[in-house]
Structure formats: structure tokens, C-alpha cells
Amino acid sequence: MSLIKLIDLPDLGDERGGLVSIEGTVDLSFEIKRVYFLYNTTSNCARGYHAHKNLKQLAICVNGQCDFILDDGNSRETVKLSSPTKGLLIENMIWREMHNFSHDCVLMVLASELYNESDYIRDYSDFLNSKSCNKDTK
Ligand code: TYD
């Protein structure tokens, strides 16, 4: 099964321009508790490099483009986000990296939980270890 889960967001736009509306629990599998966005990203700077123990997110490139790498510890896939009407769903315990931000990129993220540093796994080998521990206890 692919790690890349893209959700089509309805474009309610008309001749006046685009409009996308996202309602938590209606359009998403989670209630939105936090919204943050990345903008003015420094060129050639990659971001992310972490996983979350308990956090679902929907990432939408509302302007410009960037590449996401998702990794579940077994496989790694890349997807380019370049449309305000496509959301990338990122589940718990997925390592993510964001690369190749265009200078005009605005990456908006809808999150299922408030910010909590203890929910982060920022070391890739810790991530792989947590994955194999979870497998052992199943
Ligand atoms: P970080 O998650 O490391 O950014 P990225 O994954 O995009 O590389 O966050 C950068 C800093 O901002 C870090 O000190 C934590 C802080 N932060 C918050 O305070 N609240 C938030 O919602 C987010 C996403 C980050």
C-alpha cells in the first residue's frame, strides 16, 4: 500500500478566483486542533526530518511547490505538492522530510493535536527502533 495518501479538496472557486474549504471531521479523519504554515523558506533548505508518535496532519501547498519524502521504516516515497486543491495526509509514525521548496512556497499544515515537543521523534535511528519495538509487541 502506498504511503502517499492525497485527498482531493473541493475547489469552490468561480470566475472571481479559487476557494477551498476544509471542515474537520467532515472532510478529514480528524478534528483540526492546530494550523501552521511555512513560508519564505530559505533556498536549498530542507525541513522536517522527524516523525510524530501521535499526530495526524494534512499538508497543503497553497502556493508554489515542494517535495515530500514519507518513510514508514520499510519504504520511502516522494511526492511533489504543487496544488492548493490536493492535501497530503500524514499518519502517526511516519518519517517526513520536505525538500525543494520553491521561493514562493506556502505550505499549510492542519494538525490533529496542539504542539507538543515530546510527541516528536527527531532521530532517524530512534524512529526505526520505535517501529521495530511496535512490531515486536504486535
Ligand atoms: P519544526 O517542527 O522543527 O519545523 P519543521 O518540521 O518544519 O522543520 O519546528 C520549528 C520550531 O518551531 C521548533 O522550535 C518548534 C516550533 N513549533 C511550534 O512552536 N509550534 C508548532 O506548531 C510547530 C510546527 C513548530
Side-chain angles (χ1 to χ4, degrees):
M1 208 174 60
S2 174
L3 297 174
I4 308 300
K5 293 175 186 149
L6 286 171
I7 294 183
D8 285 319
L9 304 170
D11 191 345
L12 311 173
D14 54 27
E15 63 287 349
R16 296 168 298 167
L19 192 162
V20 173
S21 163
I22 304 162
E23 297 188 356
T25 66
V26 176
D27 301 305
L28 295 179
S29 57
F30 59 85
E31 197 181 328
I32 300 161
K33 289 205 184 147
R34 175 168 55 113
V35 177
Y36 64 91
F37 48 90
L38 306 179
Y39 67 103
N40 266 353
T41 45
T42 308
S43 64
N44 297 322
C45 251
R47 303 195 59 144
Y49 295 94
H50 62 254
H52 288 279
K53 296 172 206 164
N54 178 36
L55 183 71
K56 290 185 180 185
Q57 293 183 302
L58 188 78
I60 306 154
C61 203
V62 294
N63 199 55
Q65 60 181 48
C66 68
D67 294 333
F68 259 83
I69 294 176
L70 297 186
D71 180 335
D72 67 356
N74 289 315
S75 62
R76 191 165 258 248
E77 290 181 51
T78 303
V79 62
K80 181 175 290 300
L81 292 190
S82 59
S83 165
T85 61
K86 294 271 179 213
L88 177 66
L89 187 62
I90 310 170
E91 306 276 1
N92 301 335
M93 291 302 286
I94 298 286
W95 184 264
R96 85 289 314 273
E97 298 172 14
M98 293 88 89
H99 295 263
N100 303 324
F101 287 93
S102 60
H103 70 280
D104 57 349
C105 181
V106 179
L107 180 66
M108 183 173 75
V109 182
L110 313 180
S112 64
E113 302 296 334
L114 301 181
Y115 175 73
N116 174 10
E117 184 58 38
S118 65
D119 187 62
Y120 279 70
I121 303 175
R122 292 190 181 273
D123 181 274
Y124 189 68
S125 37
D126 290 346
F127 167 68
L128 292 180
N129 286 337
S130 311
K131 280 292 203 181
S132 61
C133 291
N134 285 346
K135 243 186 242 161
D136 294 345
T137 54
K138 269 187 190 158

